[in-house]
């Protein structure tokens, strides 16, 4: 990894590849369990790339998303794109090893589901695991629990 | 690579990792030369992930962008996110080995530059190289040339 730009030092705790199990649900779907592999990387530019893939516990590929974060004006802003035709911008706050991101705008392709808001938390716990939480307001439901995962650093 | 879903067969010519040189310009900036490394991958879900990084010819890291494409209703739709706080949705047409994508919506974080439209072409030429063209309407300029690169498949 290249030398970390000073702007990214506040996000250094997030860098690396993480893997672990999660569970998901939403008022419109059945609960499900999944395996999440997430990478945050930086190669010398003042931003962090986020790449995520999940599969179901039987190995079936499931979701993926990818985007960028950058510290800005005392907070963190970013974008995330999803293969289902959704792209989001985020504004976030950083409190030590806890990053909270709230969608500020969402655009979608004509065939995408309607997602009106997303709230995400990434938090490094004292035991070194990364807790990931995603709430979502979508398809007519108010902001509700969607995903919770606990990841261990694997690289 | 996993078995290609039938929906993705029309994009199979794009899959792989590509590398080559490009040149860029815009009315608001000086011309520049760069090296582009682009990967399109699919792991069994009916979408293609797009990951791009560039560096200047002296090795300095430059741009990056990432997103997804999926065939839909006879065309291709997609999303692309950029680390400068821009996220785009796209509608596209596929004509053999030529994919043209036109932005349909663009959202940006408060600190991002104003980009009003992006037009992209990926075309596989008879010699096996991939031509990449990007035009952009941004910071007060109408749709204008921004990037042209020619890439060879490296993986």
């Amino acid at each position: 990894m290249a030398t970390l730009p000073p702007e990214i030092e506040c996000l250094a705790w997030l860098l690396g590849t993480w893997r672990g199990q999660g569970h998901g649900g939403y008022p419109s779907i059945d609960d499900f369990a999944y395996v999440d592999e997430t990478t945050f990387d930086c190669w010398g530019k003042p931003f962090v790339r986020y790449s995520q893939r999940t599969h179901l516990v039987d190995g079936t590929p499931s979701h993926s998303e990818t985007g960028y974060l950058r510290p800005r004006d005392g907070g963190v802003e970013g974008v995330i794109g999803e293969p289902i035709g959704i792209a989001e911008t985020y504004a976030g706050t950083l409190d030590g090893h806890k990053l909270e991101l709230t969608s500020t705008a969402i655009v979608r392709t004509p065939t995408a589901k309607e997602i009106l808001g997303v709230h995400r938390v990434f938090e490094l716990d004292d035991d070194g695991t990364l807790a990931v939480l995603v709430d979502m307001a979508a398809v007519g439901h108010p902001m509700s629990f969607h995903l919770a995962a606990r990841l261990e650093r694997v690289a």
Side-chain angles (χ1 to χ4, degrees), chain A residues 77 110 113:
Chain A
E77 60 171 41
K113 284 183 190 159

Side-chain angles (χ1 to χ4, degrees), chain A residues 141-153:
Chain A
H141 299 284
M143 191 66 79
S144 310
F145 169 80
H146 180 42
L147 303 169
R150 185 162 294 276
L151 311 182
E152 292 183 16
R153 191 191 295 275

Side-chain angles (χ1 to χ4, degrees), chain A residues 53-69:
Chain A
R53 274 175 63 175
T54 70
H55 57 266
L56 302 183
V57 287
D58 69 1
T60 308
S62 184
H63 186 66
S64 175
E65 52 191 40
T66 175
Y68 301 94
L69 300 172

Side-chain angles (χ1 to χ4, degrees), chain A residues 12-76:
Chain A
W13 57 276
L14 203 51
L15 297 178
T17 295
W18 304 83
R19 177 190 279 262
Q21 297 217 13
H23 66 277
Y26 205 68
S28 56
I29 57 174
D30 290 335
D31 291 353
F32 59 99
Y34 65 98
V35 176
D36 179 314
E37 184 168 310
T38 288
T39 298
F40 293 97
D41 64 339
C42 175
W43 52 87
K45 293 280 287 185
F47 57 77
V48 170
R49 182 171 58 180
Y50 163 62
S51 308
Q52 185 246 33
R53 274 175 63 175
T54 70
H55 57 266
L56 302 183
V57 287
D58 69 1
T60 308
S62 184
H63 186 66
S64 175
E65 52 191 40
T66 175
Y68 301 94
L69 300 172
R70 62 173 180 176
R72 214 72 177 170
D73 299 339
V76 173

Side-chain angles (χ1 to χ4, degrees), chain A residues 7 10-11 70-77 90-96 98-101:
Chain A
E7 299 92 331
C10 62
L11 291 174
R70 62 173 180 176
R72 214 72 177 170
D73 299 339
V76 173
E77 60 171 41
Y90 284 88
T93 57
L94 191 59
D95 178 12
K98 182 180 184 179
L99 172 64
E100 276 198 78
L101 298 169

